[in-house]
Amino acid sequence: MRRPKPLPSNTTRLFRRRAIRLPIPNADAELEFHHNMQAVAESVERKAEMVADPRASVHEACERQFERIRASYEITLERFVGDEYEAVAHSYFDGARVDGAAVLAGYLVEALWRLQQLYSVSDLTFFPVILRYPRSCTINARFVRGQIFENTVLYESPEHSGVRPDEAYADVYHSESRWSQKQAAQQLAASAQAIRDRFPDPRETPVEERRAGGIVSAFGRRGSEFSSGLELVDANPDRFDDEITEPQLVAESPAAQRTEREWLSQDATLL
């Protein structure tokens, strides 16, 4: 999988407290959105399986999850922008392009760049909001400096700690870590199912049951402690009164504002 190039220093102020809105103009586009969200659910489901397995690495479980999330973003980029989306993104950062495809490329390439760092940099949390509206959806790819404790389950990873196997506390520490991982795996499995339920197959679900709604989730790490959480959120179906034909940058949603207030502690900083 390709690795994004380093980004210009001005990208954060371009997208802070903003979301990218994507058109869903027809049945084919709605089915593609559904498939993309099912891929996200599968990434969480697979992570749950690995976290529950005492033989598996927590680091690898997280890497596998975000490989699938990156693949989901890349599918969106290739659909709206094409294979050269990274060059298009840098054209947007340089001010050479300001069209919808360039805005999308810039937004998601920045998100990919941060995702690449997520589990190699301690004290960073991915805190996205994905909302479905009639004939469009929004992706708010937020990142937080600091760990989120509200509405999340915390679990310990011995491979990221400084506890040595020969230390007196090691056996107790490893037992407690395994217990926390089992608890997290149950929460992750429930989150995967919640994503599937929230974004059902449009071919099998009445339109009234899939017009609007979304999720906010959190995945992060501080030292050897990892966090995970998910909440179903509502989306106002009347928020947008227009139909779009290309991606556009929009303000963050009321759901994003609320979850920031309710989930983040005073020492956490939204990037």
Side-chain angles (χ1 to χ4, degrees):
M1 186 170 295
R2 77 173 77 179
R3 296 290 184 178
K5 298 177 182 178
L7 299 184
S9 59
N10 67 333
T11 57
T12 298
R13 67 174 179 267
L14 294 174
F15 303 128
R16 192 170 187 271
R17 301 192 183 283
R18 309 295 292 275
I20 196 76
R21 182 184 175 204
L22 302 176
I24 305 180
N26 52 44
D28 288 343
E30 188 166 6
L31 185 60
E32 182 176 311
F33 173 72
H34 163 71
H35 286 155
N36 228 349
M37 294 310 303
Q38 296 311 293
V40 172
E42 288 172 7
S43 74
V44 179
E45 192 171 61
R46 178 57 180 150
K47 182 180 180 181
E49 294 171 355
M50 293 185 71
V51 170
D53 185 350
R55 300 165 297 179
S57 158
V58 169
H59 183 82
E60 185 178 354
C62 295
E63 283 293 313
R64 294 266 185 95
Q65 178 192 17
F66 281 98
E67 283 175 7
R68 296 193 182 199
I69 293 176
R70 282 194 293 261
S72 172
Y73 280 10
E74 287 176 344
I75 288 170
T76 300
L77 284 164
E78 289 166 2
R79 176 192 168 200
F80 285 99
V81 184
D83 291 341
E84 300 303 316
Y85 60 78
E86 193 170 350
V88 174
H90 283 269
S91 295
Y92 175 74
F93 298 142
D94 295 340
R97 286 184 60 171
V98 294
D99 56 282
V103 171
L104 172 66
Y107 191 92
L108 290 188
V109 163
E110 185 200 17
L112 287 170
W113 180 76
R114 291 192 184 279
L115 280 171
Q116 181 179 317
Q117 304 175 68
L118 192 67
Y119 285 111
S120 60
V121 177
S122 181
D123 208 24
L124 188 63
T125 300
F126 185 38
F127 189 35
V129 183
I130 301 174
L131 299 174
R132 172 76 164 91
Y133 297 95
R135 305 186 74 79
S136 69
C137 69
T138 60
I139 302 171
N140 190 344
R142 303 181 295 183
F143 292 83
V144 173
R145 178 67 65 191
Q147 197 170 23
I148 298 177
F149 300 100
E150 293 293 332
N151 304 312
T152 62
V153 61
L154 306 177
Y155 57 106
E156 186 72 16
S157 171
E159 66 186 294
H160 293 85
S161 77
V163 177
R164 297 190 302 273
D166 59 344
E167 292 187 67
Y169 179 66
D171 288 344
V172 174
Y173 171 71
H174 280 78
S175 295
E176 291 178 346
S177 297
R178 286 303 311 144
W179 181 86
S180 69
Q181 289 171 22
K182 289 179 181 179
Q183 296 295 111
Q186 292 175 7
Q187 189 271 346
L188 285 162
S191 294
Q193 187 57 52
I195 295 170
R196 293 184 189 280
D197 295 342
R198 197 59 155 177
F199 302 104
D201 190 327
R203 298 166 298 186
E204 302 172 356
T205 311
V207 65
E208 294 79 11
E209 297 179 18
R210 52 183 168 82
R211 291 183 69 235
I215 58 170
V216 57
S217 58
F219 306 102
R221 170 193 164 209
R222 174 179 284 175
S224 59
E225 188 174 56
F226 287 69
S227 60
S228 175
L230 182 136
E231 178 188 340
L232 301 182
V233 295
D234 295 324
N236 179 3
D238 301 320
R239 181 186 178 195
F240 301 111
D241 59 7
D242 61 334
E243 294 189 13
I244 56 174
T245 58
E246 67 174 12
Q248 65 175 196
L249 203 61
V250 297
E252 65 180 354
S253 65
Q257 296 170 349
R258 178 184 64 79
T259 55
E260 180 185 349
R261 291 193 304 269
E262 294 179 358
W263 286 51
L264 299 191
S265 61
Q266 291 185 347
D267 62 346
T269 303
L270 189 68
L271 301 180

